[in-house]
Amino acid sequence: MSRIGKAPVELPSGVSVDISGRRIKVTGPKGELEVPVGEGVTVRQEDGALICERASDSPKHRAMHGLTRSLLYNAVRGVTDGFSKTLQIQGVGYRAQMRGGNIEFQVGYSHPVVVEPQEGVEFELPNPTTVVVRGIDKQRVGQVAAEIRAIRPPEPYKGKGIRYEGEQVRRKVGKAG
């Protein structure tokens, strides 16, 4: 039995679940998410928790068991608390500013780079060198944060660029002159 898959997903108050076929709809105070159920996995609601069970011990069913449980847990957590990723901008003259709902980055290119938020994702700028990406879908928040980081990834010589909060960049020594 999968250690991840056999753990029940507790449903906090205010969260409702609608199980219909191979899709599960999770609704909470922050919004609504739909989760696919993996092949060979059945999900049932019992005593305020979701329980995942697999059909057999085949490697595919074992993999789907843990994956389905993790997706359900992330959906429940997303509709109650939400997810966020913080990005730091480092470099002289590197900054970001809000333009309506979009963010405009000045990161060393000859032009500003404008990023529009995807559906279900919002941006916050506490200061010009910090960007916070928020949303209820963990995968979408992480994808948008990765796309922003890809605009100017941190470089190893001076450390300039956009990085995740707490990310360590290994610095290289410059030319021996």
Side-chain angles (χ1 to χ4, degrees):
M1 194 74 165
S2 166
R3 283 180 287 162
I4 294 172
K6 70 181 176 182
V9 178
E10 298 296 328
L11 296 175
S13 62
V15 175
S16 63
V17 176
D18 178 34
I19 302 171
S20 57
R22 309 292 321 151
R23 305 214 64 58
I24 297 176
K25 190 180 287 189
V26 181
T27 309
K30 290 194 176 258
E32 179 179 298
L33 288 173
E34 200 166 295
V35 179
V37 176
E39 184 182 323
V41 177
T42 57
V43 179
R44 61 186 164 85
Q45 189 172 355
E46 185 177 291
D47 298 331
L50 293 174
I51 298 171
C52 299
E53 296 171 335
R54 65 175 180 239
S56 69
D57 273 345
S58 72
K60 182 170 183 154
H61 290 170
R62 288 173 39 190
M64 288 293 124
H65 188 210
L67 173 67
T68 301
R69 192 266 178 200
S70 293
L71 291 174
L72 286 170
Y73 175 77
N74 288 337
V76 169
R77 191 166 149 225
V79 298
T80 53
D81 302 330
F83 294 98
S84 69
K85 285 266 191 186
T86 304
L87 299 158
Q88 301 288 329
I89 303 171
Q90 291 189 349
V92 176
Y94 285 19
R95 66 187 177 280
Q97 59 187 9
M98 293 295 288
R99 295 275 187 212
N102 303 337
I103 295 185
E104 186 178 277
F105 290 93
Q106 299 283 342
V107 285
Y109 295 118
S110 61
H111 59 283
V113 180
V114 178
V115 177
E116 298 177 4
Q118 292 183 6
E119 183 182 332
V121 174
E122 56 190 39
F123 299 130
E124 179 186 328
L125 258 74
N127 61 53
T129 59
T130 304
V131 177
V132 180
V133 181
R134 293 188 197 284
I136 62 171
D137 187 351
K138 185 175 186 177
Q139 191 275 331
R140 189 169 288 167
V141 168
Q143 182 64 39
V144 170
E147 289 169 1
I148 290 173
R149 183 182 180 275
I151 292 169
R152 179 69 89 177
E155 54 95 18
Y157 296 102
K158 293 185 180 177
K160 298 178 355 178
I162 303 172
R163 64 178 78 184
Y164 297 115
E165 185 177 52
E167 178 181 2
Q168 299 291 319
V169 176
R170 291 192 60 188
R171 302 288 294 272
K172 291 182 177 179
V173 179
K175 306 200 291 200

